[in-house]
Amino acid sequence: MGATADRAYSLITNNKSIDGFYSQLLGTPSPKNDPCPWGIHTAGHYIAAVGPGGDPSTSPGDPLLYFHHIALDRLWWIWQINSPANRLKAIPFVNTNMTMPMKRAVDPHNIAVNMERLGPPIKLFQTHDRLGGNGGAFCYIYV
């Protein structure tokens, strides 16, 4: 499937911009002549052949979902630390359009992220606070 070590390596090393990183992560647009055209994110939801993998209403009930998303967070962190000045606050598709439909705020820095059943809406950059944010209270690194 699309969640293999070579794809993770390519995700980190072959994308200089957040737009490229995000597109490859999601697998949009689908790579041509690829027997597994899903991005690493989508593929990971199905790789363990778990029933609720693709259903956002039930997948949080599957413990594998959390391991998968921790692994994605780690890949993103590795990508970010390769150019922190340019990547820590990068937002995908600020100046271009995504290949999939998405509502875009007038100012992407003021986007409210709907956390749905997980909690109240939060500002986009609050989702980034785990990367040494909150006054350094969450300052951790992956090893």
Side-chain angles (χ1 to χ4, degrees):
M1 290 184 106
T4 57
D6 62 319
R7 306 238 179 167
Y9 182 77
S10 172
L11 182 66
I12 294 166
T13 59
N14 292 339
N15 293 290
K16 302 298 179 202
S17 75
I18 186 67
D19 294 356
F21 180 88
Y22 200 73
S23 291
Q24 187 174 345
L25 177 78
L26 295 178
T28 55
S30 298
K32 293 180 179 170
N33 302 319
D34 190 338
C36 305
W38 297 342
I40 231 171
H41 174 248
T42 305
H45 277 269
Y46 297 98
I47 202 161
V50 182
D55 184 345
S57 298
T58 59
S59 61
D62 180 357
L64 289 177
L65 172 95
Y66 298 95
F67 289 107
H68 169 57
H69 277 263
I70 288 167
L72 294 175
D73 187 51
R74 181 175 181 271
L75 289 173
W76 183 41
W77 179 80
I78 291 168
W79 180 81
Q80 287 178 307
I81 63 168
N82 280 288
S83 183
N86 299 316
R87 296 178 178 178
L88 285 180
K89 299 275 183 182
I91 299 173
F93 306 103
V94 171
N95 298 313
T96 60
N97 291 322
M98 290 183 68
T99 54
M100 60 185 358
M102 179 178 164
K103 293 179 184 174
R104 173 62 75 194
V106 174
D107 179 1
H109 296 88
N110 290 321
I111 291 173
V113 178
N114 182 350
M115 301 302 288
E116 302 202 7
R117 295 177 184 92
L118 300 176
I122 61 174
K123 293 282 186 183
L124 178 65
F125 281 120
Q126 284 179 281
T127 66
H128 293 209
D129 277 351
R130 303 308 152 280
L131 202 63
N134 196 26
F138 296 116
C139 189
Y140 63 87
I141 60 170
Y142 290 97
V143 291

